[in-house]
Amino acid sequence: EKLPFELTAAQKRVVKEIRSDLGSGLQMNRLLQGDVGSGKTMVGLLTMLIAKDNGYQSVLMAPTEILAQQHYNSITESLKGVGIRTAFLSGSVKGKTRKEVLHHLKEGNIDILIGTHAVLEKPVIFKNLGLAIIDEQHRFGVMQRSKLWTKSRDDKPPHILVMTATPIPRTLAMTIYGDLEVSIIDELPPGRKKVHTLHKTERHRPQVIEFLHREIEKGRQIYIVYPLIEESEKLDLADLQQGYERLLQYFPPPEYKISVVHGRMKPQDKDLEMLRFAEGKTHIMVATTVIEVGVNVPNASVMVIENTERFGLSQLHQLRGRVGRGAEQSYCILMSGYKLSKEARTRIKTMTETNDGFKIAE
């Protein structure tokens, strides 16, 4: 009754699979794969409600503060008027607020805790934890997963649901996550437009810049992403810096505002810049791949990827998933040099031909 939309058939099927696990008397270990935007969070929420119905608490853990915060906002929004108590916990929740969260958690006054790996710390004690959901599994190690086991009482480990938007071919999934059953959401909710993906080289740059100007005039926002490869960090930051300086010529301040985010920045500076972009205060977000997982800005309609040939396929697919979250037609522009290896060519061709994460994974 409360949902503003009908669940897709795939979501219903997955909820049934999870429900039969929860009632089997054994611990659930399930991997939920679904392309960006397929509605995994909603499945996670429904699972947490099943736990609540049975008198248990749930925890949802995400790899970054921004992602955790977004889950928290969307879940509290969905639960308005349902009478379910949620709380948020991360490294930046301190002092009195933190004390209160920990107290209410232990007393059992909180049904759902959402946070970063801060939820794994010793002082975090649940009254009776029944379910742990881990988002973007590849960012967490096995040790971190196993810490969750110690959080429940009576030596009964909580049910575990692991969610990922990086599709993995089934045979590979069995090798990497042999201990997990696999559920797949293989359809997107109706009304999601396909992201239009184009490959452009340096000589098309003037056209691309002109196109970006038109999109900004329509009130849209833009991501521009530079690769960052650890060994040559100096070189890469120079790339980003140069790119940024070049953009200032094309998009002069104060008329245009640009956010910059890269791995060398302090976490709070990163969060601040991401927030400014999410709130629509800046037009363009220039970033290294830190934005790959989890920023949800429905108004961002264009993703420009520089030096595309230096990214892997799953990275490209994840990055593309940052746009196409609103009702507008979105675009992903893959920029590259003229000289491309055979592999890079195949990768770029694959990206322009399909939006299906599972095809790409194969």
Side-chain angles (χ1 to χ4, degrees), residues 76 93 122 129 134 136 184 196 250 290 341:
T76 34
V93 178
K122 274 246 162 55
L129 177 65
I134 303 172
E136 289 309 334
I184 292 178
H196 199 59
Y250 299 133
V290 285
S341 69

Side-chain angles (χ1 to χ4, degrees), residues 22-213:
L22 297 180
S24 72
L26 299 168
Q27 183 204 21
M28 168 173 83
N29 267 307
R30 195 168 271 282
L31 172 67
L32 173 56
Q33 292 191 166
D35 235 327
V36 179
S38 61
K40 294 183 295 292
T41 312
M42 186 44 72
V43 169
L45 176 55
L46 293 171
T47 309
M48 295 194 275
L49 293 178
I50 296 175
K52 163 69 181 158
D53 269 348
N54 289 277
Y56 285 97
Q57 294 168 301
S58 301
V59 61
L60 167 61
M61 182 166 81
T64 65
E65 171 119 12
I66 292 172
L67 193 52
Q69 193 65 58
Q70 275 182 346
H71 278 316
Y72 180 69
N73 297 344
S74 74
I75 283 172
T76 34
E77 186 58 36
S78 305
L79 291 174
K80 268 196 180 138
V82 186
I84 300 253
R85 298 151 305 180
T86 52
F88 180 77
L89 190 66
S90 74
S92 59
V93 178
K94 293 185 169 72
K96 194 173 166 219
T97 324
R98 192 180 190 91
K99 268 204 179 107
E100 278 176 7
V101 170
L102 295 179
H103 170 74
H104 287 301
L105 204 58
K106 199 173 171 181
E107 292 295 307
N109 304 331
I110 291 171
D111 303 311
I112 294 176
L113 178 66
I114 298 166
T116 58
H117 49 264
V119 302
L120 297 172
E121 288 162 13
K122 274 246 162 55
V124 181
I125 299 164
F126 293 83
K127 187 175 183 197
N128 60 345
L129 177 65
L131 169 73
I133 300 182
I134 303 172
D135 194 24
E136 289 309 334
Q137 155 69 22
H138 60 281
R139 296 291 178 100
F140 292 108
V142 179
M143 289 306 288
Q144 282 173 310
R145 253 203 294 170
S146 65
K147 271 190 187 157
L148 286 165
W149 287 40
T150 60
K151 294 276 173 202
S152 58
R153 41 171 215 185
D154 311 335
D155 299 334
K156 261 198 175 165
H159 291 298
I160 306 254
L161 180 66
V162 171
M163 305 197 294
T164 179
T166 311
I168 308 162
R170 204 173 184 97
T171 44
L172 194 58
M174 286 161 70
T175 321
I176 305 179
Y177 304 118
D179 57 331
L180 300 176
E181 297 286 329
V182 181
S183 284
I184 292 178
I185 304 185
D186 48 12
E187 65 181 303
L188 287 179
R192 289 285 298 244
K193 286 198 182 87
K194 265 193 164 153
V195 179
H196 199 59
T197 308
L198 312 151
H199 175 214
K200 299 284 178 197
T201 56
E202 220 29 73
R203 70 157 186 268
H204 301 114
R205 191 166 294 274
Q207 290 163 278
V208 172
I209 296 294
E210 197 180 313
F211 171 69
L212 299 183
H213 273 280

